[in-house]
Amino acid sequence: MTLFDTNLDKHNPTAEHLWNEVQNSIHFRELFDAVIDAMLLVDSSGQIMLANPAAQHLLGYTHDELRSLDVEQLMPARFRENHRHYRKQFLAEPRQRLMGSTCELAILNRHGEEVAVNISLSPIAIKEQAAKAIYILVTFIALDRRRQAENALRESEERLWLIKQAAGAGIFDIDCANGRIYCDERMRELWWNEADEIMTLGKFFSTVHLSDRAKCQKLFEEALNPEMEGKCRTAFRIINGSEHSERWIATLSQTQFDNGSAKRIVGIARDITERKLLEQTLQQQRNETELLFNKQVAILTAAAIAHELNSPLTAISAYSEVAQRALSVTPVDCDKAKEALSGCFDQAQLAGHKLYELIGFLQGREIETEKLNINRIVEDALLQARSDGYSEFHIILNLEPNIPPIKANKIHIQRILVNLIRNAVEAMRAANVVDSEITIAVKTLASEKMAVVTIEDNGPGIDQKVISQIFDPFFTTKPTGFGMGLSISRALIEANGGQLWIDPVYQDGAQFHFTLPLA
Ligand code: ADP
């Protein structure tokens, strides 16, 4: 390589002599490699042409590896964007200069780690055939470790400050030897502390809410224990005696141990009063809702029991009266008394059975189902309703012959049917319908694998204004009604795999339908 044409003052005769000497005896490469500072020779496109051993050491690359790199690849991403622009500027006006007058510079080593450096640039014009090409001699001077450590510390402090500001956190630092607590400004604010007030552990514990104090003292003792990890995260209330106010504080701290004993506990604290109050309000609301729900469940259960026991108790009362009368005549009408007492017995059994079923249902006990002939159940329910005193109606039965069996609980279905028949009779009675008539139709919906039962009456029907409420618990228009019949019936039908609904457009009375799965 032939050299040089730098900015050295070659026109001074002594320098010129020296220059000639140097030029004659020392090769550029030897000089370049001997320099203690890391140097790269870069061409005008940014391609690394030469790297001296100091540069290879600083960057962790071999010479050949550096030769294949572009100088920009050594720059942290944040500097890359503007670099091309700076290179152009430099080439337009090549002169020795220091880079990075406005910011700290760094380069990336082989491991992608940033190394803080000062960078100087020197243009070198090298004669290449007829033309002159500008090369740039880049010199890196690594900043000393202490400065790097200071920079890192300053950056981490800045980051911590940002986090602290964002979280509204205060910092405390407990000197375990004398129990003094250093608090930053925010921490004093959190503790309602005067700027000149010395904070001590004793004072700190005295501000902690009585209910949280023992917990805090225990945690503090644990934090001092070198056998534990020294990390502590907790939340507690502090009290401002003079203002009678309390504040929730969350702290996170780390103990620093030295020779097996705790030296310092450094931590941050945040005001979490707002969050705690919100949690308390939510908890209170949850409790209230739960209470209301439990109350509702209790009321519904009691109402369901009353509904189930109402008719057997009425029947028992009627039978008892008959027995009383049969026993008070002379001669005693033993047969009548026996018959009435047997009626009492049956009704008491029925009541017990209904209760057992109901409790099982409320407990979510698996219901016992069997293959049933729905036509037969309709007939049984009619008999039952009539024997319960609901008999003054003309019945029309449209039962599908040879209907396939359904799979359901017999007692449930019979009870639902009796309830629907009773409702129809009660509605027609209340409206003084003369030719009261109930039609029960049963057919299969083969496509759905369901049987459909329809019960309609020629009573007053249901007012459109309340039709959407009739399945609600406690909805009743009867003076002595419980309003539970339809809601229990719907729940039972659903438990048996079917559905129960009312036809909302039926005009000539009320028309209810329910489905049940075929076996
Ligand atoms: P309850 O019979 O105790 O009132 P139900 O849940 O069985 O409770 O019925 C709720 C309400 O639905 C009745 O009070 C009545 O207003 C209405 N209802 C039910 N069936 C009929 C019907 N066939 N015709 C007219 N109204 C009816």
Side-chain angles (χ1 to χ4, degrees), residues 423-424 427 457 461-462 470 475-478 481-486 510 512:
N423 273 350
D457 60 60
I462 294 158
I470 60 165
F475 177 82
T476 182
T477 52
K478 299 169 195 168
F482 282 110
M484 292 300 293
L486 286 177
F512 287 87

Side-chain angles (χ1 to χ4, degrees), residues 307 419-428 455-457 459-463 466 469-478 480-489 502 509-512:
H307 172 88
N419 196 50
L420 292 172
I421 295 167
R422 273 176 45 181
N423 273 350
V425 173
E426 280 173 353
M428 294 186 292
I455 299 172
E456 64 190 45
D457 60 60
I462 294 158
D463 192 339
V466 297
Q469 300 168 42
I470 60 165
F471 289 98
D472 293 347
F474 303 122
F475 177 82
T476 182
T477 52
K478 299 169 195 168
T480 55
F482 282 110
M484 292 300 293
L486 286 177
S487 72
I488 292 177
S489 297
I502 183 167
Q511 189 183 63
F512 287 87

Side-chain angles (χ1 to χ4, degrees), residues 31-215:
L31 240 179
F32 182 72
D33 285 353
V35 178
I36 200 162
D37 292 325
M39 285 182 148
L40 298 177
L41 187 68
V42 175
D43 74 7
S44 57
S45 72
Q47 177 73 47
I48 298 174
M49 306 303 291
L50 285 176
N52 72 354
Q56 293 164 36
H57 178 73
L58 179 72
L59 297 167
Y61 289 102
T62 64
H63 185 262
D64 287 348
E65 284 169 341
L66 283 168
R67 279 274 293 148
S68 66
L69 292 181
D70 190 293
V71 74
E72 271 171 24
Q73 286 170 269
L74 299 175
M75 286 177 189
R78 61 183 181 281
F79 297 130
R80 270 181 218 150
E81 208 170 292
N82 292 325
H83 182 255
R84 256 177 229 128
H85 168 69
Y86 288 138
R87 181 146 43 82
K88 257 195 197 155
Q89 264 189 355
F90 180 83
L91 291 170
E93 198 191 328
R95 60 181 170 82
Q96 269 187 346
R97 47 184 271 220
L98 275 174
M99 272 180 82
S101 52
T102 54
C103 61
E104 295 281 356
L105 294 177
I107 46 168
L108 296 176
N109 67 15
R110 184 189 194 104
H111 309 293
E113 296 156 352
E114 290 197 8
V115 182
V117 284
N118 279 338
I119 303 177
S120 67
L121 306 173
S122 307
I124 296 184
I126 296 179
K127 290 174 202 139
E128 281 180 351
Q129 286 144 17
K132 257 190 206 170
I134 297 281
Y135 285 79
I136 307 159
L137 188 66
V138 187
T139 310
F140 299 105
I141 300 159
L143 297 182
D144 60 77
R145 283 184 182 282
R146 185 176 160 171
R147 179 127 170 247
Q148 279 189 42
E150 277 171 8
N151 285 349
L153 186 65
R154 203 189 60 234
E155 276 171 22
S156 100
E157 271 174 358
E158 278 168 9
R159 278 198 287 269
L160 181 66
W161 185 83
L162 277 175
I163 295 169
K164 204 168 88 67
Q165 288 301 106
I171 290 182
F172 59 88
D173 186 345
I174 305 173
D175 184 338
C176 300
N178 58 18
R180 282 220 177 163
I181 309 177
Y182 158 79
C183 297
D184 72 352
E185 203 181 319
R186 174 68 183 141
M187 193 72 224
R188 287 183 182 283
E189 229 175 83
L190 290 178
W191 244 274
W192 300 287
N193 248 198
E194 297 301 327
D196 51 356
E197 196 178 335
I198 293 171
M199 192 64 178
T200 61
L201 272 173
K203 268 191 205 166
F204 160 68
F205 283 123
S206 69
T207 60
V208 176
H209 193 290
L210 258 184
S211 320
D212 298 336
R213 203 171 291 169
K215 174 183 85 174

Side-chain angles (χ1 to χ4, degrees), residues 166-358:
I171 290 182
F172 59 88
D173 186 345
I174 305 173
D175 184 338
C176 300
N178 58 18
R180 282 220 177 163
I181 309 177
Y182 158 79
C183 297
D184 72 352
E185 203 181 319
R186 174 68 183 141
M187 193 72 224
R188 287 183 182 283
E189 229 175 83
L190 290 178
W191 244 274
W192 300 287
N193 248 198
E194 297 301 327
D196 51 356
E197 196 178 335
I198 293 171
M199 192 64 178
T200 61
L201 272 173
K203 268 191 205 166
F204 160 68
F205 283 123
S206 69
T207 60
V208 176
H209 193 290
L210 258 184
S211 320
D212 298 336
R213 203 171 291 169
K215 174 183 85 174
C216 281
Q217 274 161 341
K218 185 166 173 278
L219 284 171
F220 180 68
E221 273 155 34
E222 282 173 10
L224 295 179
N225 185 348
E227 280 162 27
M228 319 265 290
E229 58 174 345
K231 188 167 275 165
C232 176
R233 184 193 288 269
T234 186
F236 50 88
R237 283 157 291 175
I238 53 170
I239 303 289
N240 183 349
S242 59
E243 288 177 24
H244 305 290
S245 55
E246 76 174 35
R247 183 175 279 170
W248 270 97
I249 299 283
T251 61
L252 174 66
S253 65
Q254 175 69 55
T255 310
Q256 293 174 6
F257 296 100
D258 188 14
N259 278 334
S261 67
K263 287 279 161 217
R264 297 168 67 194
I265 301 177
V266 183
I268 55 170
R270 266 188 330 123
D271 182 348
I272 53 162
T273 313
E274 223 168 282
R275 195 187 85 200
K276 281 284 178 187
L277 288 179
L278 190 71
E279 273 172 19
Q280 276 167 7
T281 315
L282 285 177
Q283 186 57 43
Q284 207 171 325
Q285 280 171 1
R286 230 175 279 140
N287 291 347
E288 278 167 17
T289 319
E290 205 167 315
L291 200 72
L292 206 73
F293 180 76
N294 288 345
K295 216 164 142 186
Q296 208 57 24
V297 169
I299 294 170
L300 282 174
T301 311
I305 292 171
H307 172 88
E308 293 299 284
L309 292 187
N310 195 32
S311 70
L313 285 178
T314 314
I316 288 171
S317 160
Y319 279 127
S320 307
E321 258 181 54
V322 174
Q324 224 174 12
R325 245 181 281 125
L327 292 172
S328 58
V329 291
T330 333
V332 170
D333 189 345
C334 284
D335 289 343
K336 192 102 187 151
K338 247 191 215 166
E339 197 187 318
L341 286 173
S342 138
C344 279
F345 177 78
D346 289 348
Q347 290 298 324
Q349 288 283 312
L350 179 70
H353 200 79
K354 278 181 162 187
L355 273 188
Y356 172 80
E357 284 275 317
L358 177 69

